[in-house]
Amino acid sequence: MTVRIAGVVRESIVDGPGIRFVVFTQGCPHHCPGCHNPESHDPAGGYDCDIEKILTEIKKDPLLKGVTFSGGEPFDQPEPLAELAAEIKKLELDLFIYTGYLFEDLQGRCDPATDRLISLADYIVDGPFLLSQRSLELKFRGSKNQRMIDVAQTLKAGRTVTMEETDSAC
Ligand code: SF4
């Protein structure tokens, strides 16, 4: 199975806690003004990459705390990313996902692949980047409207629970 990507960063410390392998997916419908990654918007850009190949690269690095799916828009490719996410979780790495969609709208899709990808994530940072709410003081987010959602707590509580509420180390 392949996923369309813009590229990867093998060791990042700005896309979630700890040292992380980041997969930048290709294709984004949100077109947020001020987007840091505009070359990832065109769904015809980038290249197809076998998820096994990505997994092999992840397994090479013993320093990784986790993996991050960023964009582009990861939730426009939920099937291959859910497959990749399932293998990542077997390695006991945590999974951060950035999305320009609102979490509740993703849940409202009632799409099995989307639901599977949500359930495999530890944290989801949701919502578009809003230039008017940009802040350099936020950790792992670009604008104040974006929420860092604790997925396990959210699914357990049946309401959206943010990392601030659960007093996470992040
Ligand atoms: S969702 Fe992310 S990648 Fe897409 S336009 Fe907005 S900031 Fe850029």
Side-chain angles (χ1 to χ4, degrees):
M1 192 175 276
T2 62
V3 60
R4 191 97 181 153
I5 65 171
V8 302
V9 170
R10 285 176 170 73
E11 289 191 348
S12 166
I13 56 167
V14 295
D15 297 288
I19 299 173
R20 313 189 66 81
F21 189 100
V22 186
V23 179
F24 290 95
T25 59
Q26 183 70 31
C28 183
H30 306 296
H31 301 288
C32 309
C35 170
H36 63 296
N37 205 3
E39 62 279 5
S40 70
H41 293 183
D42 181 359
Y47 57 97
D48 289 327
C49 189
D50 201 300
I51 61 171
E52 284 299 328
K53 196 174 167 192
I54 297 172
L55 201 56
T56 300
E57 293 303 307
I58 292 169
K59 285 177 179 172
K60 283 180 186 172
D61 191 343
L63 298 177
L64 294 175
K65 180 182 187 303
V67 176
T68 297
F69 297 161
S70 188
E73 174 50 68
F75 276 95
D76 279 1
Q77 302 185 74
E79 285 183 23
L81 289 177
E83 286 297 315
L84 178 57
E87 296 303 316
I88 288 165
K89 297 309 294 181
K90 287 180 193 168
L91 301 174
E92 298 187 0
L93 294 168
D94 65 55
L95 179 63
F96 237 69
I97 305 179
Y98 286 85
T99 177
Y101 295 111
L102 293 179
F103 184 80
E104 293 81 358
D105 291 339
L106 291 173
Q107 287 188 305
R109 283 181 177 178
C110 299
D111 169 56
T114 298
D115 290 344
R116 185 176 180 219
L117 183 55
I118 288 172
S119 71
L120 288 163
D122 293 279
Y123 304 105
I124 291 178
V125 179
D126 81 333
F129 170 68
L130 296 180
L131 207 46
S132 60
Q133 295 191 43
R134 178 177 180 239
S135 171
L136 299 175
E137 289 167 16
L138 298 167
K139 229 174 181 181
F140 312 131
R141 292 172 289 164
S143 58
K144 289 178 184 166
N145 61 296
Q146 294 171 316
R147 303 173 292 180
M148 287 201 290
I149 295 166
D150 183 323
V151 176
Q153 292 302 320
T154 291
L155 296 179
K156 191 173 157 192
R159 65 176 182 86
T160 306
V161 179
T162 65
M163 286 166 74
E164 286 85 354
E165 283 179 72
T166 55
D167 199 22
S168 158
C170 296

